[in-house]
């Protein structure tokens, strides 16, 4: 449905999107994530036609759209700030695109009402945006996109202005909407929970380049590099300095560990970064590392315990047994299969 | 706190006295004009500053008919309406373009317009007159409409640009995504949203155009506007002050009415663009 071929964006001498290649399948829900300034919103705006493409090609639905005007691309966009027209009612906002297309008032009303029903906005159609709550405004913004029946929906951090509870609700609504409409959706967020829960595939961006594309669980379980490993997952993956002691063995935090299933032979004394997820540090059996608890984040059903296994090697572990307390020494246990190894440049060693 | 309040109140009173005197000096000419417009010539000569004892509206009738104020009034209305309409249309379009669209030399254009704001009208009067004459627009209402538009456009554009810059750019982008061309974005989104600024601008430009003497005197030499008509009521050796006062009241009445109805918006409009909306 969407093909980005070697797409770049330059502002003056600065390259903000660097030779991006990506194919989005029809009906797919794809999420762009990355830290602030990584270019995820710029890439979305380039697909929308709101930013020019400096080089490369964009194809949508089999047609070359690199230089097409936004309204000729068959895409609709939901903005972070909602961007509702303040002088128009909800119905007028939702029907604006149809009005521009020359759709008659009666037909327009029918289409707006159909979209409003889907989004539970029926009773708000005659209100102005100023008289709506944040969640209602966001639904109107989504409704405005639905009414156009576009080939592709683009969402630019649509939930970031909502409070935590409403964000969860809207997230579920967007997921339902995708299931019912089955349109292609491209969604930008810096919230990895949104990315993990909504996406069919996640695109992780850093400094204008794609670091990895994959299903959420693939990115979580099998990251290509230390950036993706650290970015996906909350709390983030722990990274400990280690050194190879043999072709498939390492020493980390003073303990020798045999790494199973390693395809690469490690060179003796080779420096490695050892990645371990917080939930993998409380295995019932496995390699044991003693930890003095420095901070406890109690969440009720579980706690996150913070401490250090080595100088400049802080770790966080997910703790579900009992109520840990600060100063307590506890054993962390992990299974060697849960280790992820990275070379000093951050590339994954598989 | 109470002691501070008292001291503050005392200072307020001290400040109020010069302000009251200032207000009086503004109000007195109005009272003088209305008072003398109701006097006969004889009544005025006998008592210039006293209150009218035998009021008459004959001076208003004379000004409207004999002094051709009815004709001047029509000229003023047509020229002011034409110029203000054109100013609003152009300033809204240009303001939208300068604030929202990206095109080469956009900043330079804006700086040039700001530069035009700094040039006093008097400095360009001779080339202006030659241009109007050369275009065959002398003694035409169209000429005066265009002249007002040219002179008041820089300020109008500045105000509208400042206003539109305060609006979120996403509105333009959303409208573009909805299929609107730039002119449609302006017509359906920017023009309605610019209404508060346009209303303010309309009032201010109405005041400028209606009250102008200098430009009007140069362009409409045969067919006068109201303010030029009033100036012409002054004779070289004698002046019929009650007739002149009646003319002043007639000329000022519509504009005072506009001011009274829209005064809140005029004050509000002065701060447009001062802070980001």
């Amino acid at each position: 449905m969407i093909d980005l071929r070697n797409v770049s964006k330059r502002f003056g001498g600065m390259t903000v999107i660097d030779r991006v290649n990506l194919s989005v399948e029809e009906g797919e829900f794809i999420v762009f994530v990355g830290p602030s300034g990584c270019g995820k919103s710029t890439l979305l705006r380039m697909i929308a036609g709101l930013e020019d493409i400096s080089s490369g090609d964009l194809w949508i639905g089999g047609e070359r759209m690199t230089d097409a005007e936004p309204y000729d691309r068959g895409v609709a966009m939901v903005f972070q700030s909602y961007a509702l027209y303040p002088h128009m009612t909800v119905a007028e906002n939702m029907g604006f695109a149809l009005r521009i297309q020359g759709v008659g008032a009666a037909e327009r009303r029918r289409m707006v009402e159909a979209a409003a029903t889907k989004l539970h906005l029926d009773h708000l159609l005659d209100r102005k945006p100023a008289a709506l709550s944040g969640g209602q405004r966001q639904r109107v913004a989504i409704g405005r996109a639905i009414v156009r029946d576009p080939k592709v929906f683009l969402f630019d951090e649509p939930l970031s202005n909502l409070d935590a509870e409403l964000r969860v609700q809207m997230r579920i609504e967007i997921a339902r909407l995708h299931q019912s409409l089955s349109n292609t959706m491209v969604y930008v967020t810096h919230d990895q929970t949104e990315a993990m829960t909504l996406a069919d595939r996640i695109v992780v961006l850093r400094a204008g380049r794609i670091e990895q594309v994959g299903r959420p669980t693939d990115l979580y379980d099998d990251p290509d590099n230390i950036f993706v490993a650290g970015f996906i997952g909350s709390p983030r993956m722990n990274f400990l300095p280690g050194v190879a002691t043999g072709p498939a063995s390492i020493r980390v935090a003073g303990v020798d560990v045999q790494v199973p299933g390693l395809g690469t032979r490690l060179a003796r004394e080779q420096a490695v970064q050892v990645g371990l997820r917080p939930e993998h540090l409380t295995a019932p059996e496995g390699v044991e590392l003693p930890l003095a608890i420095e901070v406890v984040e109690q969440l009720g059903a579980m706690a996150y315990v913070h401490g250090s296994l080595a100088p400049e090697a802080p770790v966080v572990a997910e703790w579900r047994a009992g109520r840990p307390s600060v100063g307590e020494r506890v054993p962390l246990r992990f299974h060697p299969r849960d280790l992820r190894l990275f070379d000093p440049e951050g590339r994954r060693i598989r | 706190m109470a002691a501070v309040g008292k001291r503050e109140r005392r200072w307020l009173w001290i400040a109020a006295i010069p302000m009251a005197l200032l207000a009086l000096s503004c109000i007195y000419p109005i009272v003088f004009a209305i008072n003398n417009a109701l006097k006969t010539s004889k009544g005025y000569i006998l008592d210039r500053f006293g209150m009218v004892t035998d009021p008459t509206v004959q001076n208003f009738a004379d000004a409207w008919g004999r002094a051709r104020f009815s004709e001047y009034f029509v000229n003023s209305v047509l020229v002011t309406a034409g110029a203000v309409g054109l100013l609003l249309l152009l300033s809204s379009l240009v303001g939208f373009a300068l604030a929202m669209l990206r095109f080469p030399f956009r900043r330079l254009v804006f700086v040039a317009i700001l530069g035009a704001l700094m040039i006093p009208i008097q400095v360009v009067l001779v080339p202006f007159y030659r241009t109007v004459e050369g275009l065959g627009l002398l003694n035409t209402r169209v000429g005066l409409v265009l002249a007002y538009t040219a002179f008041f456009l820089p300020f109008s554009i500045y105000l509208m640009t400042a206003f539109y810059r305060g609006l979120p750019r996403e509105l333009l982008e959303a409208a573009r995504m909805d299929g609107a061309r730039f002119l449609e974005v302006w017509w359906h989104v920017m023009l309605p949203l610019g209404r508060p600024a346009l209303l303010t601008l309309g009032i201010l430009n109405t005041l400028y155009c209606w009250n102008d003497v200098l430009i009007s005197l140069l362009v409409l030499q045969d067919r006068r506007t109201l303010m030029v008509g009033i100036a012409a009521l002054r004779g070289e050796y004698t002046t019929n002050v009650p007739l002149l006062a009646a003319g002043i009241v007639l000329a000022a009445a519509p504009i005072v009415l506009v001011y009274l109805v829209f005064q809140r918006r005029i004050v509000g409009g002065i701060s447009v663009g001062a802070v980001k909306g």
Side-chain angles (χ1 to χ4, degrees):
Chain A
M1 172 53 73
I2 303 173
D3 264 317
L4 293 162
R5 298 179 189 169
N6 233 11
V7 160
S8 294
K9 174 71 186 173
R10 285 178 286 276
F11 287 113
M14 202 168 80
T15 302
V16 291
I17 295 293
D18 193 8
R19 288 163 290 162
V20 164
N21 287 287
L22 179 71
S23 281
V24 181
E25 297 301 319
E26 189 163 353
E28 198 174 16
F29 197 123
I30 200 135
V31 177
F32 295 167
V33 291
S36 295
C38 70
K40 54 189 186 295
S41 283
T42 306
L43 192 57
L44 188 84
R45 290 168 60 82
M46 288 162 77
I47 296 171
L50 297 174
E51 297 286 352
D52 293 336
I53 295 172
S54 305
S55 63
D57 266 325
L58 167 71
W59 293 71
I60 299 174
E63 287 181 63
R64 188 175 175 275
M65 294 288 184
T66 312
D67 304 309
E69 290 292 334
Y71 39 80
D72 290 331
R73 298 184 179 209
V75 300
M77 186 156 163
V78 177
F79 292 83
Q80 183 178 357
S81 62
Y82 320 128
L84 300 178
Y85 312 119
H87 59 294
M88 296 183 196
T89 62
V90 168
E92 286 166 344
N93 262 284
M94 289 173 67
F96 182 68
L98 303 174
R99 187 174 156 201
I100 293 292
Q101 285 169 26
V103 176
E107 176 66 1
R108 206 160 68 214
R109 185 78 191 179
R110 190 192 62 73
M111 292 166 81
V112 165
E113 281 173 358
T117 307
K118 266 187 201 147
L119 294 161
H120 316 293
L121 290 168
D122 324 51
H123 59 297
L124 302 172
L125 285 176
D126 295 322
R127 285 204 201 163
K128 294 267 178 75
L132 302 177
S133 68
Q136 288 168 338
R137 284 181 205 182
Q138 193 52 271
R139 286 214 295 273
V140 175
I142 294 170
R144 189 168 63 178
I146 290 176
V147 165
R148 289 184 52 201
D149 190 24
K151 286 185 274 190
V152 178
F153 282 92
L154 307 174
F155 294 89
D156 188 7
E157 305 208 32
L159 309 185
S160 57
N161 286 348
L162 304 180
D163 61 48
E165 196 182 337
L166 206 53
R167 202 179 303 169
V168 174
Q169 273 179 31
M170 285 302 297
R171 204 167 69 206
I172 296 164
E173 283 196 36
I174 289 173
R176 280 201 187 118
L177 196 69
H178 181 239
Q179 281 170 10
S180 67
L181 297 174
S182 302
N183 291 50
T184 308
M185 293 186 176
V186 183
Y187 189 104
V188 164
T189 181
H190 61 266
D191 181 336
Q192 55 172 290
T193 314
E194 275 173 36
M196 294 293 283
T197 53
L198 288 171
D200 292 325
R201 281 194 303 155
I202 293 176
V203 178
V204 183
L205 287 146
R206 180 169 63 155
R209 282 171 169 260
I210 292 181
E211 291 287 326
Q212 192 174 353
V213 183
R215 290 185 303 169
T217 47
D218 290 346
L219 262 58
Y220 190 82
D221 295 336
D222 192 18
D224 279 350
N225 54 51
I226 204 164
F227 175 79
V228 175
F231 194 80
I232 302 290
S234 178
R236 70 197 294 266
M237 184 182 268
N238 299 295
F239 296 106
L240 302 168
V243 64
T245 53
S249 61
I250 57 162
R251 171 166 291 177
V252 58
V255 179
D256 289 321
V257 184
Q258 283 290 324
V259 187
L262 205 58
T264 313
R265 286 174 66 85
L266 299 173
R268 204 174 163 79
E269 301 299 322
Q270 176 187 344
V272 292
Q273 287 283 317
V274 180
L276 273 164
R277 296 242 177 242
E279 68 272 24
H280 292 149
L281 283 168
T282 47
E285 54 190 35
V287 180
E288 195 170 304
L289 303 167
L291 178 80
I293 298 175
E294 292 165 5
V295 174
V296 175
E297 286 181 286
Q298 189 55 255
L299 300 178
M302 59 161 180
Y304 290 115
V305 296
H306 297 254
S308 297
L309 288 172
E312 294 181 28
V315 292
V316 54
E318 187 182 300
W319 203 266
R320 288 182 181 271
R323 299 283 187 215
S325 53
V326 174
E328 196 179 340
R329 282 187 77 81
V330 291
L332 299 182
R333 284 190 207 91
F334 67 90
H335 197 285
R337 67 161 181 263
D338 293 327
L339 282 180
R340 302 289 177 266
L341 292 186
F342 303 91
D343 68 17
E345 280 74 47
R347 290 183 295 253
R348 177 78 182 280
I349 303 171
R350 287 190 167 97
Chain B
M1 286 299 283
V4 175
K6 266 185 189 173
R7 199 182 306 155
E8 273 184 0
R9 219 171 299 147
R10 200 178 306 140
W11 276 110
L12 282 176
W13 273 110
I14 291 169
I17 293 164
M19 281 195 283
L21 288 173
L22 193 68
L24 207 63
S25 71
C26 293
I27 292 168
Y28 180 71
I30 300 168
V31 175
F32 180 85
I34 296 170
N35 187 40
N36 285 310
L38 296 169
K39 289 179 186 174
T40 59
S41 293
K42 189 179 161 192
Y44 172 74
I45 291 164
L46 290 174
D47 186 3
R48 291 184 178 196
F49 298 103
M51 289 303 290
V52 59
T53 49
D54 188 16
T56 172
V57 292
Q58 188 55 44
N59 292 319
F60 292 99
D62 287 348
W64 190 255
R66 192 156 53 84
R68 296 167 62 193
F69 266 41
S70 55
E71 186 191 320
Y72 302 160
F73 187 84
V74 171
N75 283 342
S76 276
V77 167
L78 289 178
V79 165
T80 301
V84 170
L86 203 56
L87 278 164
L88 294 185
L89 181 77
L90 292 176
S91 61
S92 174
L93 269 170
V94 179
F96 161 60
L98 287 171
M100 294 278 183
L101 307 185
R102 292 172 186 160
F103 56 89
F105 308 116
R106 182 172 57 135
R107 286 182 66 84
L108 190 70
V109 171
F110 187 63
V111 169
I113 289 167
L114 277 186
L117 258 179
M118 311 298 166
I119 301 169
I121 291 176
Q122 291 81 352
V123 173
V124 293
L125 276 186
V126 173
F128 161 70
Y129 181 79
R130 291 267 180 230
T131 308
V132 173
E133 192 184 28
L135 290 170
L137 292 171
L138 215 56
N139 286 317
T140 63
R141 290 187 192 123
V142 173
L144 190 54
V145 167
L146 293 177
Y148 282 152
T149 307
F151 280 117
F152 301 141
L153 196 56
F155 171 72
S156 305
I157 290 173
Y158 167 73
L159 193 91
M160 290 312 296
T161 306
F163 181 81
Y164 282 135
R165 273 187 183 156
L167 295 180
R169 200 181 155 72
E170 282 91 341
L171 289 174
L172 163 73
E173 294 176 344
R176 296 279 291 153
M177 295 299 297
D178 278 340
R181 271 66 174 168
F182 284 119
L183 263 181
E184 287 171 320
V185 176
W186 171 74
W187 177 252
H188 290 294
V189 181
M190 293 300 156
L191 198 60
L193 287 180
R195 209 163 46 191
L198 287 170
L199 191 58
T200 302
L201 202 55
I203 294 159
L204 290 176
N205 280 329
T206 301
L207 291 175
Y208 296 150
C209 295
W210 188 270
N211 291 335
D212 169 69
V213 176
L214 184 61
I215 304 169
S216 173
L217 194 61
L218 277 175
V219 180
L220 272 191
Q221 292 176 346
D222 297 340
R223 310 157 77 184
R224 293 165 178 166
T225 55
L226 262 179
M227 291 303 162
V228 177
I230 287 168
L233 280 180
R234 289 182 62 217
E236 194 175 353
Y237 302 110
T238 58
T239 300
N240 184 345
V241 173
L243 184 67
L244 178 67
I248 288 169
V249 172
L250 279 176
I255 221 73
V256 169
L257 197 68
V258 167
Y259 177 76
L260 290 176
V261 173
F262 295 108
Q263 58 166 322
R264 273 169 185 266
R265 292 204 179 268
I266 294 173
V267 175
I270 290 166
S271 64
V272 165
V275 288
K276 201 177 172 192

